[in-house]
Amino acid sequence: MFTAPPPTRPLQFASDNYSGICPEALDYFLKANQGDVPAYGDDEWTQKASDAFRNIFEIDCEVFFVFNGTAANSLTLASLCQSYHSVICHELAHVETDECGAPEFASNGSKLLLAQGDNGKLDPADVERLITKRTDIHYPKPKVISLTQATEVGTLYTTDELAALSGLARHHGLKVHMDGARFANALVASGKTPAELTWQAGVDVLCCCGTKNGMGIGEAILFFDKALAADFAYRCKQAGQLCSKMRFISAPWLGLLETGAWLRNAEHANRMAAYLEQQLGQIPELKILFPRQANGVFVQMPQLLIDELYRRGWKFYTFIGSDGARLMCGWNTTIEAIDELVADIRDAVC
């Protein structure tokens, strides 16, 4: 018997990757599509975008552009490690749970050591336990602390927490990598400057948000310690991440940075998530699982409700436990879409 597919909806809450390209990024993309320009990043758009990052972050950093976040994280970690090294990350970190072993693959075997911590944040005591657990030659030598800002459960590291982890890293001779897939969301929520939330707090390398912040494709990698970027361009080329028409990645970045859209987009997404949290908090059958500090709301709901929402055409992920749903807001999320989702939830639990 034929079963009709679930209805389609114009806006969804599964991921901020679902959204289209924001107007500012698209405008600069089209502006870059004029005539011939040098390839492989030797163009004016790429130089201007790189300089914009240096200006915004208040430091003469090395800037690279790659196609996606998995490549950004994996190639960065590979550049910081030898194959016999290890990377300490949270047990929920994206590099551990959602990158198909890419960090290990890119680094020819650097091992991920999993630390614990409440609300998705690394516990310095547990990090130090892993660093000092063993020092013999039979154990992969810890080399990098990798942290996510905002975390995989939508929480934020404060500058003091970042400084504590960075201080721990320095004490033991480790480097600090920040997965900033939602860095802009963390930035506007924190009230800090980009410099304060990164290199001034001891971060060595930032993989910065692009696609989740309104671009169609592309992430930026910022090496605040320029010495760590030695030969990184060769690593990008070897991995198939050197875009020949680089301007089509860098120009949209310039559009976000030059117009301030990267912060406006993040602020809007955070504000929509705050509204969503407020609405869901009024439904007794639901429970908010983690503090909402950026653009994601994690909520516990009965499996029957999850199934019914899926049947009605809503899309969201449930990877935080069997009954934990992640609802993400993006630059294009509307109050109307949230109200429609909340109305369906209220109707389904009645």
Side-chain angles (χ1 to χ4, degrees):
M1 184 177 72
F2 172 76
T3 301
T8 57
R9 298 179 182 273
L11 295 178
Q12 288 288 352
F13 294 89
S15 175
D16 31 9
N17 280 328
Y18 273 44
S19 65
I21 304 173
C22 74
E24 295 85 354
L26 183 58
D27 178 45
Y28 275 62
F29 181 93
L30 295 175
K31 287 179 179 177
N33 192 35
Q34 303 294 323
D36 289 355
V37 301
Y40 302 110
D42 292 329
D43 62 274
E44 186 177 8
W45 295 100
T46 301
Q47 298 310 310
K48 285 184 176 180
S50 298
D51 288 340
F53 273 115
R54 296 179 183 113
N55 180 58
I56 288 170
F57 280 81
E58 305 175 68
I59 189 172
D60 182 21
C61 55
E62 292 285 359
V63 182
F64 298 87
F65 299 99
V66 295
F67 291 104
N68 55 48
T70 295
N73 286 329
S74 301
L75 295 179
T76 297
L77 292 175
S79 74
L80 300 177
C81 293
Q82 297 291 333
S83 58
Y84 51 84
H85 286 144
S86 57
V87 176
I88 296 173
C89 64
H90 195 277
E91 59 187 349
L92 298 178
H94 199 273
V95 293
E96 157 64 12
T97 63
D98 288 285
E99 290 183 345
C100 197
E104 297 94 328
F105 176 80
S107 63
N108 292 316
S110 297
K111 185 177 178 61
L112 299 184
L113 302 180
L114 307 184
Q116 298 180 342
D118 294 338
N119 294 325
K121 295 191 287 186
L122 289 168
D123 178 357
D126 202 45
V127 171
E128 187 159 36
R129 176 187 65 81
L130 289 173
I131 295 174
T132 60
K133 181 179 180 181
R134 286 171 57 180
T135 58
D136 59 271
I137 201 169
H138 304 287
Y139 189 73
K141 184 178 181 180
K143 187 64 175 179
V144 178
I145 295 175
S146 176
L147 53 90
T148 310
Q149 179 80 306
T151 72
E152 293 301 317
V153 295
T155 54
L156 305 183
Y157 286 95
T158 67
T159 51
D160 286 344
E161 289 170 332
L162 293 174
L165 288 167
S166 297
L168 188 61
R170 297 292 177 268
H171 178 72
H172 292 283
L174 278 66
K175 301 300 181 183
V176 178
H177 157 258
M178 178 178 282
D179 177 353
R182 296 183 177 93
F183 177 77
N185 302 92
L187 184 64
V188 297
S190 71
K192 301 296 183 179
T193 68
E196 288 172 332
L197 209 57
T198 54
W199 63 272
Q200 290 182 358
V203 174
D204 294 299
V205 190
L206 167 69
C207 296
C208 195
C209 54
T211 52
K212 291 179 173 63
N213 189 237
M215 286 176 54
I217 190 171
E219 307 293 303
I221 305 169
L222 280 60
F223 283 85
F224 303 115
D225 182 346
K226 296 178 72 171
L228 298 176
D231 292 339
F232 190 75
Y234 288 88
R235 192 177 293 277
C236 291
K237 173 63 177 179
Q238 187 182 63
Q241 290 293 320
L242 178 60
C243 182
S244 59
K245 297 183 179 181
M246 185 70 77
R247 68 189 186 277
F248 293 118
I249 294 179
S250 57
W253 257 120
L254 185 61
L256 292 182
L257 299 175
E258 200 167 68
T259 67
W262 75 303
L263 299 181
R264 291 195 300 273
N265 288 348
E267 192 279 331
H268 174 81
N270 289 3
R271 182 158 35 87
M272 290 298 97
Y275 177 73
L276 175 60
E277 176 192 37
Q278 187 268 334
Q279 294 298 305
L280 295 178
Q282 300 177 23
I283 303 175
E285 291 81 2
L286 306 182
K287 176 185 177 183
I288 304 298
L289 293 173
F290 303 101
R292 187 221 52 85
Q293 296 179 316
N295 64 319
V297 180
F298 293 76
V299 58
Q300 187 179 61
M301 59 177 67
Q303 185 61 49
L304 288 177
L305 174 58
I306 292 174
D307 294 341
E308 175 61 18
L309 292 175
Y310 283 164
R311 189 189 69 78
R312 296 188 185 199
W314 293 107
K315 297 182 183 297
F316 51 89
Y317 294 119
T318 57
F319 50 75
I320 306 295
S322 59
D323 57 354
R326 187 192 77 167
L327 303 172
M328 297 301 304
C329 296
W331 70 268
N332 63 336
T333 300
T334 65
I335 287 180
E336 290 76 17
I338 293 174
D339 288 344
E340 186 179 355
L341 170 64
V342 172
D344 270 0
I345 292 175
R346 291 185 183 278
D347 180 65
V349 298
C350 291

